[in-house]
Amino acid sequence: MTAPDPQEAALVAAAAEVRGAARCPYSGFAVGCALRDRSGRIWTGANVENASYTLGLCAERVAIFYALTHGADAIESIAVVTGADRPAAPCGACRQILFEFAADADLLLVTTGGAELRTRVRDLVPFAFDASFLAPREP
């Protein structure tokens, strides 16, 4: 058995810690997300709900927007921690945002009970919509 990767363990720990800051009075579903950029910096975010449900933000988008607006380098790995019975994948909106800014990142989905699922962001969004569709086209 191989020893756990210390960088991965730190990323999961950061996601688990920020999960404690989630504001989820309506769903009770706290989510923490941590991203590691190419420079080794860790950026975090937790979900924030609002009484007008559609105005809330998921942890993944909070983390990526914070990272991008504070100087993050290319995102290489992402950990998402929930209290679900099985690893919970990002919602569709988060998948699109993560694809736009971190398509090649490794993604580790973890539960507080220790279950985990490993994948890549790119694998969550087959046939993804990206900037290539926005190139000028003739009518």
Side-chain angles (χ1 to χ4, degrees):
M1 179 176 197
T2 60
D5 178 321
Q7 285 190 328
E8 184 177 274
L11 193 65
V12 170
E17 180 179 347
V18 76
R19 181 177 173 266
R23 303 292 302 261
C24 51
Y26 307 104
S27 72
F29 191 73
V31 180
C33 179
L35 319 168
R36 175 176 285 106
D37 71 12
R38 180 174 36 207
S39 300
R41 294 175 293 185
I42 294 178
W43 308 88
T44 62
N47 56 316
V48 179
E49 295 178 349
N50 186 283
S52 179
Y53 294 154
T54 60
L55 298 180
L57 276 180
C58 301
E60 297 89 339
R61 283 182 282 159
V62 171
I64 196 96
F65 293 159
Y66 179 77
L68 292 170
T69 59
H70 288 85
D73 203 352
I75 303 300
E76 293 187 337
S77 53
I78 302 168
V80 178
V81 176
T82 70
D85 291 335
R86 57 192 166 96
C91 73
C94 289
R95 291 176 191 213
Q96 178 63 38
I97 294 295
L98 291 173
F99 185 84
E100 177 83 14
F101 298 108
D104 293 316
D106 293 318
L107 178 62
L108 177 58
L109 308 172
V110 182
T111 69
T112 54
E116 60 182 52
L117 175 67
R118 295 169 187 278
T119 189
R120 287 178 12 153
V121 169
R122 179 173 301 287
D123 296 333
L124 291 177
V125 192
F127 311 107
F129 182 85
D130 63 18
S132 69
F133 292 99
L134 301 175
R137 306 210 185 278
E138 294 197 23

